[in-house]
């Protein structure tokens, strides 16, 4: 083995003496916890167990109150409330109790079953103990619990943060609807737009994905060990178990999946994560564009009191919100794409590849949520530099070449001009050249076209050559594009 350099050997004298308390490995649970902690209520081990308890309790109530097993032991409204309070009051102490039980059972869902049996004893409902987890495979409980927690995380945490982001984008799009800017197709000066219209493009793109996510289906199965209701039928052959299963899944606010193996096939999860990933990619594109506009001087960054941009260059204000967002969107998609790919495949009637994978749903959505938070904050820290926009437009009169050659073509088509190949004429004038306003006026005055058309071109400036950009920006505000 190659000996360590002397400088490295000397580092041995600094070996750690004190020990830190256990620190989170994921920055989402450490450095960035404040931005994403609300997701933890749903997409954590504790959140999953709370949902499992809810599913088990609701099934127990349905079995008892519909007398499906002829127990003749309906649960009173008072006792139902007490059972549901177990879910509402789920605490750190309960989390610890479950963890201690699982340390013995080595099975998380079995620990939940024993937890509920203990609660039944405390509530004087010991006679219903055998209804707990009746005819269920673990995946009956897990798939419904994941559907509940993911649904609630999306609807109660992720989507509200997205709407705040969209609200800020709408505010800026309306504010800058008429502010002309030089476009840059292929990074080169191009036909002007307005900043409001360019932001409206992203609003339109993002909102299409939001609608897909809002309309997502959250499927659930509740049909036993291999999706056949075999144990159910043997235990109570006269019960309409298909109806009971559908009623139960719908009671939980989910869509019933009648045809499954031991597991719910997770296709809905792949669809959802793919939609979120596409939203992320569009948001990533927004970040790269805003970053580019900042670097071009189109957006000014508003200094934040006390903040430092560089450890050595005091003048700098770095666009870190957008850079941080780009990184987190990429991390989010790495996880979401993996989930969407992995979860749709299960060998024969069941394998466990989904079990570990699904425990990372919170990470995938968490990195997305952190990015959304950063973009929203970043949008509050920029302002449009109209001086920079005006300067670029004033320096690029050659972009009117498109307008001039198009007007000439219209004049030729209408019989008011005999100019041949207007495109080639303007290409010769403008390609690779920097022209002034005077150059363009001189050129237009020499054209053989109708006087009305010539007048329109003589009045045209790069600042005015924005077509319907302002109207498009205003239409996105009124939601009247379609």
């Amino acid at each position: 083995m190659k000996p360590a350099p002397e400088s490295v050997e000397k580092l041995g004298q600094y070996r750690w003496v004190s020990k830190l308390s256990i620190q989170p490995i994921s920055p989402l649970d450490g450095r960035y916890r404040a931005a994403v902690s609300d997701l933890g209520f749903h997409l954590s081990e504790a959140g999953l167990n709370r949902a499992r308890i809810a599913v088990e309790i609701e099934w127990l109530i349905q079995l008892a109150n519909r007398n499906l097993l002829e127990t003749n032991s309906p649960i009173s409204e008072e006792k139902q409330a007490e059972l549901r309070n177990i879910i509402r009051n789920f605490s750190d102490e309960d989390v610890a109790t479950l963890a201690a039980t699982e340390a013995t059972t080595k099975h998380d869902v079995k620990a939940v079953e024993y937890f509920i049996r203990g609660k039944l004893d405390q509530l004087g409902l010991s006679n219903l103990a055998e209804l707990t987890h009746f005819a269920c495979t673990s995946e009956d409980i897990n798939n419904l619990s994941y559907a509940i927690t993911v649904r609630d995380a999306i609807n109660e945490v992720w989507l509200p943060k997205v709407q705040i982001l969209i609200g800020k984008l709408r505010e800026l799009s309306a504010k800058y609807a008429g502010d002309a800017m030089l476009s840059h197709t292929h990074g080169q000066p191009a036909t002007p737009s307005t900043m409001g219209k360019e932001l409206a493009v992203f609003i339109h793109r993002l909102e299409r994905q939001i609608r897909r996510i809002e309309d997502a289906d959250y499927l659930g199965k509740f049909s036993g060990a291999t999706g056949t209701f075999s144990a159910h039928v043997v235990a109570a052959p006269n019960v309409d178990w298909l109806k009971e299963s559908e009623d139960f899944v719908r009671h939980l606010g989910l869509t019933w999946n009648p045809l499954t193996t031991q597991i719910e096939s997770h296709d809905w999860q792949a669809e959802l994560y793919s939609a979120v990933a596409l939203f992320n990619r569009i948001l990533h594109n927004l970040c790269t564009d805003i970053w580019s506009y900042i670097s071009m001087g189109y957006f000014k960054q508003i200094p934040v009191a006390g903040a430092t941009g560089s450890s050595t260059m005091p003048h700098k204000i770095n666009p870190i919100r957008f850079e941080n967002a780009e990184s987190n969107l990429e991390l989010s998609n790495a996880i979401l794409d993996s989930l969407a790919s992995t979860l749709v495949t299960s060998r024969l009637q069941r394998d466990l590849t989904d079990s570990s994978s699904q425990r990372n749903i919170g990470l995938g959505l968490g990195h997305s949520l952190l990015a959304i938070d950063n973009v929203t904050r970043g949008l509050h820290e920029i302002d449009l530099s109209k001086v920079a926009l005006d300067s670029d437009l004033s320096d690029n009169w050659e972009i009117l070449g498109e307008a001039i050659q198009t007007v000439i073509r219209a004049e030729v088509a209408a019989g008011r001009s005999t100019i041949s190949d207007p495109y080639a004429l303007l290409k010769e004038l403008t390609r690779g050249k920097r022209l002034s306003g005077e150059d363009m006026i001189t050129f237009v005055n020499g054209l053989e076209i109708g006087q009305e058309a010539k007048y329109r071109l003589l009045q045209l400036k790069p600042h005015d050559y924005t077509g319907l950009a302002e109207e498009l920006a205003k239409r996105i505000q009124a939601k009247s594009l379609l």
Side-chain angles (χ1 to χ4, degrees):
M1 180 180 294
K2 185 177 180 180
E6 183 181 354
S7 59
V8 174
E9 291 178 336
K10 288 182 177 179
L11 288 177
Q13 65 185 297
Y14 298 112
R15 293 192 186 279
W16 308 119
V17 177
S18 62
K19 290 191 176 181
L20 298 171
S21 60
I22 295 174
Q23 297 295 306
I25 295 175
S26 168
L28 294 183
D29 288 321
R31 182 181 183 89
Y32 303 122
R33 182 172 179 78
V36 302
S37 59
D38 287 348
L39 275 181
F41 183 78
H42 306 286
L43 299 177
S44 61
E45 195 72 14
L48 178 61
N49 277 332
R50 185 181 58 252
R52 285 165 166 163
I53 292 167
V55 171
E56 295 276 15
I57 286 175
E58 292 301 325
W59 179 232
L60 186 149
I61 291 172
Q62 181 167 321
L63 285 169
N65 285 15
R66 293 191 178 188
N67 200 29
L68 299 182
L69 303 179
E70 299 179 355
T71 54
N72 298 311
S73 301
I75 304 172
S76 68
E77 289 188 7
E78 178 185 354
K79 289 298 182 182
Q80 287 182 52
E82 290 179 9
L83 283 169
R84 288 176 174 133
N85 278 337
I86 297 171
I87 307 159
R88 294 189 183 96
N89 300 326
F90 190 66
S91 65
D92 290 342
E93 183 181 346
D94 293 328
V95 171
T97 299
L98 278 167
T101 305
E102 187 181 344
T104 300
T105 64
K106 309 300 182 186
H107 195 289
D108 47 7
V109 177
K110 204 63 180 176
V112 168
E113 178 186 344
Y114 290 154
F115 176 86
I116 293 171
R117 284 173 177 262
K119 294 293 184 180
L120 291 176
D121 290 341
Q122 295 172 20
L123 295 176
L125 297 172
S126 301
N127 60 311
L128 299 178
E130 291 307 321
L131 298 187
T132 307
H133 201 68
F134 179 80
C136 296
T137 183
S138 296
E139 185 58 18
D140 284 334
I141 307 304
N142 281 337
N143 89 96
L144 297 176
S145 299
Y146 273 115
I148 290 168
T149 55
V150 173
R151 177 198 65 198
D152 292 350
I154 289 288
N155 292 332
E156 296 177 17
V157 182
W158 192 85
L159 279 170
K161 291 292 187 182
V162 165
Q163 293 300 341
I164 293 171
L165 166 64
I166 294 296
K168 184 59 182 178
L169 277 174
R170 283 185 166 277
E171 175 191 324
L172 294 178
S173 178
K175 183 177 179 181
Y176 305 139
D179 287 312
M181 57 170 271
L182 188 68
S183 296
H184 291 81
T185 59
H186 304 278
Q188 305 303 307
T191 300
S193 180
T194 71
M195 184 60 78
K197 179 262 177 182
E198 295 310 303
L199 294 178
V201 170
F202 284 103
I203 294 169
H204 186 52
R205 293 175 68 192
L206 291 169
E207 287 189 333
R208 284 190 68 248
Q209 302 315 312
I210 292 169
R211 288 193 292 272
R212 289 180 62 205
I213 294 164
E214 288 175 334
D215 293 341
D217 249 348
Y218 297 86
L219 273 64
K221 63 85 69 173
F222 203 67
S223 49
T226 57
T228 61
F229 298 92
S230 298
H232 305 67
V233 172
V234 168
N238 296 321
V239 173
D240 185 347
W241 289 110
L242 287 173
K243 181 180 186 306
E244 295 299 331
S245 173
E246 181 176 6
D247 287 353
F248 181 62
V249 172
R250 292 188 185 281
H251 169 68
L252 297 175
L254 306 173
T255 300
W256 183 54
N257 186 347
L259 280 169
T260 71
T261 60
Q262 183 177 103
I263 69 166
E264 199 287 320
S265 304
H266 306 323
D267 296 346
W268 70 264
Q269 291 194 57
E271 293 162 0
L272 175 65
Y273 305 148
S274 296
V276 174
L278 181 49
F279 175 94
N280 286 346
R281 289 185 170 94
I282 296 168
L283 189 59
H284 189 285
N285 191 187
L286 172 68
C287 291
T288 58
D289 273 15
I290 296 291
W291 189 98
S292 297
Y293 289 138
I294 291 171
S295 73
M296 293 157 58
Y298 286 11
F299 278 122
K300 300 176 291 185
Q301 295 184 90
I302 302 168
V304 176
T308 297
S310 165
S311 62
T312 186
M313 293 176 280
H315 69 283
K316 293 186 72 180
I317 305 175
N318 295 332
I320 57 173
R321 294 293 183 192
F322 303 102
E323 294 170 342
N324 183 298
E326 285 182 45
S327 173
N328 278 285
L329 290 167
E330 291 161 10
L331 287 168
S332 174
N333 279 7
I335 297 168
L336 295 177
D337 289 346
S338 177
L339 287 170
S341 174
T342 298
L343 292 177
V344 295
T345 299
S346 184
R347 292 174 184 82
L348 303 179
Q349 283 68 52
R350 207 279 186 265
D351 68 34
L352 275 175
T353 50
D354 62 340
S355 182
S356 293
S357 298
Q358 290 181 105
R359 281 186 161 84
N360 292 283
I361 296 169
L363 281 177
L365 292 179
H367 282 291
S368 176
L369 192 68
L370 178 57
I372 290 163
D373 180 72
N374 269 290
V375 175
T376 304
R377 290 171 182 266
L379 293 174
H380 280 85
E381 297 169 3
I382 58 174
D383 196 11
L384 197 63
S385 174
K386 297 185 181 182
V387 172
L389 296 185
D390 180 72
S391 176
D392 256 11
L393 289 165
S394 298
D395 288 345
N396 287 277
W397 279 77
E398 63 276 4
I399 59 174
L400 296 183
E402 178 197 37
I404 296 169
Q405 64 96 8
T406 306
V407 169
I408 295 173
R409 293 178 67 182
E411 290 292 288
V412 172
R416 292 188 290 268
S417 176
T418 59
I419 297 174
S420 62
D421 201 350
Y423 179 87
L425 180 66
L426 270 297
K427 178 180 174 182
E428 175 65 25
L429 175 70
T430 61
R431 184 172 170 82
K433 300 175 183 177
R434 182 62 60 87
L435 302 178
S436 67
E438 290 76 12
D439 294 330
M440 299 305 283
I441 290 171
T442 300
F443 179 79
V444 170
N445 274 325
L447 291 174
E448 295 181 6
I449 56 175
Q451 288 303 308
E452 193 276 334
K454 182 174 291 189
Y455 177 79
R456 270 187 283 121
L457 289 177
L458 289 171
Q459 300 303 308
L460 187 63
K461 299 178 181 178
H463 305 67
D464 309 320
Y465 187 41
T466 57
L468 302 178
E470 183 173 0
E471 180 181 340
L472 289 167
K474 290 179 177 177
R475 284 197 175 196
I476 198 71
Q477 302 302 322
K479 299 187 178 181
S480 61
L481 281 173
L482 302 178

